[in-house]
Amino acid sequence: MKYTLVGYDGSPSSQRALRFAVALAQACGGRVRVVNAVKLMEGAADTCALLMADSGAQRAGELLAEVRALLPDAAGLIDVEVMSGCPGEVLLEQVRRHGIDHIVIGHTERGALGRWLLGSVSDDMLARAHVPVTVVR
């Protein structure tokens, strides 16, 4: 596995997924692409902020700083990107665009109602991705 994608939102489960992916990359001589998908909803604060100013570069810098603080010894192995859109679609597009050969994603326990209302990115990746997917609990 040469290029692993991690869906990252700062949650404890995504931090565990990132640690797992970095350990795997270090063992295999690979790299890790960390992507934060910002789902924009009409009228939401994130939507207004992104529409009023190009904060993508700033957000990517903040994400890189957070990842470097979490894993300072692995900074050279990690690429980051912040994108707007549905997390599942964003991650699948990353696979196509960057030649990703593995996805690592954290699992968040939501219960049946939460999955029905919000969906599950890990379920979506397991169902739709054409590369191996590891779900970290």
Side-chain angles (χ1 to χ4, degrees), residues 5-121:
L5 174 65
V6 177
Y8 187 83
D9 63 5
S11 67
S13 65
S14 69
Q15 291 176 359
R16 287 190 299 275
L18 176 59
R19 285 187 186 101
F20 177 86
V22 165
L24 188 63
Q26 289 171 327
C28 297
R31 293 192 59 75
V32 177
R33 183 168 194 80
V34 181
V35 175
N36 176 247
V38 180
K39 187 172 184 178
L40 301 179
M41 293 185 246
E42 192 172 326
D46 277 345
T47 304
C48 294
L50 286 172
L51 291 176
M52 291 173 64
D54 179 17
S55 63
Q58 178 185 344
R59 292 176 76 114
E62 292 167 358
L63 175 60
L64 183 57
E66 181 177 340
V67 167
R68 283 183 175 163
L70 191 62
L71 295 160
D73 296 337
L77 299 175
I78 297 173
D79 305 316
V80 300
E81 188 168 359
V82 176
M83 296 186 67
S84 62
C86 176
E89 296 299 324
V90 165
L91 294 177
L92 290 174
E93 178 60 29
Q94 290 286 308
V95 169
R96 287 186 289 272
R97 191 176 337 154
H98 296 287
I100 300 296
D101 56 12
H102 181 220
I103 300 170
V104 177
I105 192 156
H107 178 269
T108 303
E109 193 61 49
R110 283 202 179 108
L113 180 60
R115 280 192 309 277
W116 182 76
L117 289 172
L118 301 172
S120 167
V121 178

